[in-house]
């Protein structure tokens, strides 16, 4: 029964490279159809739950931008990967607790989940203290779902004002549409809000809807399952 668990089978390696190529092709086609430059869309490979060996297969296939949901998990995997491949860029996609701000600022190149004034203040303080300046996106709760993180659309203007007041440069917006709704409405809302605020980064689109997101102006699609396969279901209480 002793298999080497760290050994990624040759088939899986080929699979990851092939899936990345498929996703890149679909992004290019969707961009071209929308009259956009395919190079204006960044593929963020969402590697949460996948071990470092699997992530390295994506790196070997040329992928450089990765997304993770949890600070602790990313911290266990990415320092070594980034040491070996300094051009790897890491995005935080999940909720950030104030007590993890220091670690997050040290590790991530982009934090996509700025979602409340307290967090904005903690980030401004830590960035000032450390001199490290990850790029920041504000997560918008476009579906106004009570269980979901993000600034409500109606509160975005004052929140952006607050960020400016405390010297926090925001580069763009991110959203996760409700699972049971047509994402197009949400993509349109986010793209519109980004334009209104003069923000150039629009992070939207996941495995099931990234082509639609590209048509609506997404600059960063976050694709997990379509590259790495289905994740194990999180244990529920
Ligand atoms: C997990 C996750 C993704 C990727 O989802 P897939 O459906 O596997 O592509 C994208 N964005 C966020 C915020 C996520 O948590």
């Amino acid at each position: 029964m002793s298999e080497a668990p760290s050994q990624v089978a040759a088939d899986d390696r080929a699979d990851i490279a092939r899936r990345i190529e498929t996703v890149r092709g679909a992004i290019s086609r969707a961009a071209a159809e929308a009259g956009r430059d395919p190079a204006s869309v960044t593929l963020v490979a969402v590697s949460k739950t996948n071990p470092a060996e699997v992530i390295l297969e994506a790196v070997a296939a040329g992928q450089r931008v990765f997304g993770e949901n949890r600070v602790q998990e990313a911290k266990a995997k990415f320092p070594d990967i980034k040491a070996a491949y300094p051009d790897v860029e890491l995005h935080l996609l999940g909720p950030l607790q104030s007590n993890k701000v220091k670690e997050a600022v040290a590790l991530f190149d982009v934090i996509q989940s700025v979602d409340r004034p307290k967090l904005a203040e903690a980030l401004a303080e830590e960035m000032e203290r450390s001199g490290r300046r990850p790029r920041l996106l504000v997560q918008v709760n476009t579906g106004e779902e009570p269980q979901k993180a993000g600034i409500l659309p109606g509160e975005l203007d004052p929140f952006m004002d607050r960020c400016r007041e405390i010297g926090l440069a925001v580069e763009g917006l991110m959203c996760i549409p409700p699972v049971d709704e047509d994402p197009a409405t949400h993509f349109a809302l986010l793209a519109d809000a980004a334009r209104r605020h003069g923000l150039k980064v629009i992070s939207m689109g996941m495995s099931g809807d990234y082509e639609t997101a590209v048509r609506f102006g997404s600059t960063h699609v976050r694709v997990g399952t379509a590259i790495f396969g289905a994740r194990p279901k999180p244990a529920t209480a």
Side-chain angles (χ1 to χ4, degrees):
M1 296 300 284
S2 60
E3 274 177 46
S6 68
Q7 203 79 25
V8 179
D11 284 0
D12 294 344
R13 279 207 293 273
D15 259 15
I16 287 174
R18 188 179 49 74
R19 287 184 185 139
I20 289 173
E21 199 178 322
T22 301
V23 171
R24 287 194 177 285
I27 291 170
S28 290
R29 273 191 305 281
E33 278 165 26
R36 301 183 56 203
D37 178 2
S40 67
V41 184
T42 299
L43 171 59
V44 181
V46 182
S47 51
K48 63 188 182 195
T49 77
N50 286 281
E53 310 88 78
V54 172
I55 298 169
L56 285 168
E57 296 308 333
V59 173
Q63 180 64 31
R64 285 297 180 274
V65 184
F66 292 89
E68 287 278 338
N69 257 29
R70 293 164 181 271
V71 176
Q72 290 319 112
E73 185 187 340
K75 208 180 159 190
K77 299 188 291 191
F78 272 89
D80 289 351
I81 295 172
K82 291 181 102 187
Y85 300 91
D87 58 342
V88 160
E89 184 178 290
L90 185 59
H91 293 228
L92 178 63
L93 309 177
L96 178 55
Q97 293 167 288
S98 296
N99 63 3
K100 300 245 169 70
V101 161
K102 193 172 174 176
E103 290 168 293
V105 167
L107 179 64
F108 290 93
D109 302 291
V110 180
I111 295 172
Q112 295 205 5
S113 47
V114 181
D115 63 359
R116 57 194 192 279
K118 269 258 173 308
L119 176 60
E121 283 153 24
L123 283 166
E125 201 171 303
E126 178 57 21
M127 285 163 72
E128 180 66 28
R129 195 198 63 79
S130 66
R132 259 193 62 87
R133 306 216 159 261
R135 285 132 58 201
L136 304 174
L137 309 187
V138 169
Q139 181 173 351
V140 182
N141 186 356
T142 57
E144 310 198 18
E145 296 172 280
Q147 82 286 5
K148 199 168 271 175
I151 299 288
L152 295 171
E155 288 168 7
L156 184 58
D157 291 5
F159 184 70
M160 292 299 293
D161 288 345
R162 180 69 190 137
C163 288
R164 227 183 336 268
E165 265 168 36
I166 62 173
L168 202 67
V170 171
E171 198 173 72
L173 303 179
M174 180 269 251
C175 77
I176 310 170
V179 287
D180 52 355
E181 285 182 29
D182 179 3
T185 317
H186 299 273
F187 295 159
L189 190 156
L190 196 73
D192 185 58
R195 269 180 227 114
R196 222 159 22 79
H197 285 279
L199 300 168
K200 63 179 198 293
V201 175
I202 306 174
S203 172
M204 56 190 192
M206 303 173 29
S207 289
D209 54 22
Y210 65 90
E211 291 161 280
T212 306
V214 168
R215 287 188 203 102
F216 279 85
S218 176
T219 65
H220 288 67
V221 293
R222 312 178 307 263
V223 179
T225 314
I227 292 173
F228 295 107
R231 290 179 291 272
K233 284 254 186 290
T236 43

